[in-house]
Amino acid sequence: MFWPTKKDIKAALEVFALFQWALSAFVIVTSVILVNLYLVVFTSYWFVTVLLLIWLAFDWKTPERGGRRFTCVRRWCLWKHYCNYFPIKILKTHDISPSHNYILACHPHGLLSHSCFGHFATDTSGFSKTFPGITPYMLTLGAFFWVPLFREYVMSTGACSVSQSSMDFLLTRKGTGNMLVVVVGGLAECRYSIPGSTTLVLKNRYGFVRTALRHGTSLIPAYVFGETDLYDQYIFTPGGFINRFQEWFQKMIHIYPCAFYGRGFTKNSRGLLPYSQPVTTVVGEPLLLPKIENPSQEIVAKYHTLYIDALRKLFDQHKTKFGISETQELVIV
């Protein structure tokens, strides 16, 4: 009779933790929509849907007002298995004082930002011990907060909207010791997420710098070594039908549809699981910025350049530790 070993159980829990998070969006969103359609069309309980919509309207601004985090959710043992799958690690290069607020710009996005979620949306990766007194707020697309129940699940991890009003609120109305985590490249960076890639979408991303200047908030560069190595991606012939569709789709809704794959459940098989290999987020030194309420484009461009220089320096100082050639450099597009 086959009895699973502790190693087998550990691996199964890690895979479950990954799939649970990845599929929760689909399952919860689909269930909410179908159940409410059923209530409205086939039953006399349509008022339940009306009450739900009233609550949604009443609570609409919460993701832009600090969200609604639950420490118990952030400390689920499930997230520990999530982080151990790769494993996800964090490396501190400088102390960060809890007497100030910060904007941490994380690069690269990768395909699913596994490291960003593990460190900043859970409390099981060691972040709170590495940076005591710092409260991370992972900022994400407002679309994640459109559907009842799912928005509560997302907010429970400490996530908030990445809108301007949300950032202004967190930097002015929540005291100090707050770290706003922004994945600057966003979904546009997915197309460059292939093993060995060091290409970042950053050249024309000025918004986070302008916000930091308006509030006099320090910028912290962070680079995630290994994030782009978690999946392979089919690269279609430039100018071909599929490639032209990808380009058209990106122009229409600013999302680049990728055909990616990782490992499967069996050895040497393909599937949607990310490859199990270390992913390390290196957090750099805070870049001090002056407070300028209405910075000109020239001022924003100046500090944007200083930020890129700091990010390049951070990358160059640590790249060889993570298997990247000494001659390989960041590519900013």
Side-chain angles (χ1 to χ4, degrees):
M1 184 180 293
F2 172 75
W3 290 100
T5 64
K6 289 184 177 180
K7 185 178 179 180
D8 294 330
I9 295 174
K10 178 177 179 292
L13 287 171
E14 290 171 357
V15 170
F16 174 75
L18 279 166
F19 268 107
Q20 180 276 145
W21 175 244
L23 294 178
S24 60
F26 175 78
V27 173
I28 297 176
V29 171
T30 303
S31 299
V32 169
I33 293 174
L34 292 179
V35 168
N36 280 280
L37 282 175
Y38 177 78
L39 291 176
V40 171
V41 177
F42 299 105
T43 76
S44 59
Y45 295 101
W46 53 267
F47 61 89
V48 174
T49 299
V50 173
L51 291 174
L52 195 62
L53 292 175
I54 291 174
W55 163 250
L56 182 62
F58 174 78
D59 197 54
W60 187 256
K61 290 292 185 180
T62 298
E64 298 181 356
R65 298 294 182 269
R68 192 162 42 237
R69 71 172 56 209
F70 288 98
T71 302
C72 59
V73 175
R74 288 174 54 84
R75 292 179 178 174
W76 276 354
C77 61
L78 194 66
W79 302 135
K80 187 66 176 178
H81 295 299
Y82 178 99
C83 294
N84 288 340
Y85 173 88
F86 302 95
I88 289 173
K89 302 177 182 178
I90 193 164
L91 177 62
K92 178 176 72 173
T93 61
H94 292 80
D95 289 331
I96 297 177
S97 171
S99 60
H100 304 284
N101 289 327
Y102 306 90
I103 295 177
L104 183 143
C106 201
H107 314 269
H109 182 281
L111 283 166
L112 296 176
S113 291
H114 285 295
S115 181
C116 185
F117 177 82
H119 288 310
F120 308 118
T122 81
D123 198 18
T124 57
S125 71
F127 176 87
S128 59
K129 294 181 180 179
T130 305
F131 298 102
I134 300 297
T135 302
Y137 289 89
M138 186 182 72
L139 304 186
T140 187
L141 295 174
F144 283 105
F145 308 102
W146 290 353
V147 179
L149 299 184
F150 180 63
R151 71 197 298 269
E152 276 65 41
Y153 187 28
V154 174
M155 282 194 290
S156 69
T157 66
C160 293
S161 171
V162 75
S163 68
Q164 185 63 60
S165 61
S166 175
M167 298 179 73
D168 291 341
F169 183 91
L170 291 171
L171 292 172
T172 59
R173 305 282 293 277
K174 296 286 285 186
T176 59
N178 301 311
M179 177 185 285
L180 281 60
V181 181
V182 182
V183 186
V184 179
L187 293 173
E189 222 162 55
C190 291
R191 66 184 303 171
Y192 303 108
S193 185
I194 56 177
S197 172
T198 55
T199 300
L200 305 179
V201 177
L202 182 58
K203 186 176 181 180
N204 296 314
R205 300 292 172 105
Y206 295 101
F208 71 107
V209 178
R210 180 175 287 104
T211 298
L213 284 167
R214 288 178 52 241
H215 294 279
T217 302
S218 297
L219 285 175
I220 302 177
Y223 193 88
V224 186
F225 290 93
E227 184 71 49
T228 59
D229 300 326
L230 297 179
Y231 296 95
D232 283 302
Q233 186 176 162
Y234 290 105
I235 304 299
F236 297 100
T237 305
F241 174 77
I242 297 179
N243 179 252
R244 283 187 283 117
F245 170 78
Q246 290 175 311
E247 299 288 351
W248 172 83
F249 197 87
Q250 184 180 34
K251 289 180 181 179
M252 293 297 293
I253 61 175
H254 306 292
I255 296 176
Y256 189 81
C258 301
F260 66 92
Y261 62 92
R263 51 159 285 203
F265 291 103
T266 59
K267 188 177 181 180
N268 298 323
S269 65
R270 291 183 179 182
L272 294 179
L273 284 173
Y275 297 120
S276 179
Q277 57 189 45
V279 182
T280 304
T281 301
V282 181
V283 180
E285 180 181 7
L287 177 65
L288 301 178
L289 270 65
K291 185 175 182 179
I292 306 174
E293 292 188 3
N294 294 298
S296 65
Q297 184 58 38
E298 291 74 17
I299 293 295
V300 173
K302 171 187 174 182
Y303 284 98
H304 183 265
T305 300
L306 291 176
Y307 172 80
I308 291 178
D309 291 342
L311 179 62
R312 287 187 186 279
K313 180 180 178 182
L314 179 72
F315 175 80
D316 290 338
Q317 287 177 338
H318 297 274
K319 60 185 179 183
T320 56
K321 302 175 187 176
F322 301 100
I324 298 178
S325 170
E326 181 68 41
T327 59
Q328 189 167 350
E329 298 181 351
L330 283 181
V331 178
I332 307 296
V333 297

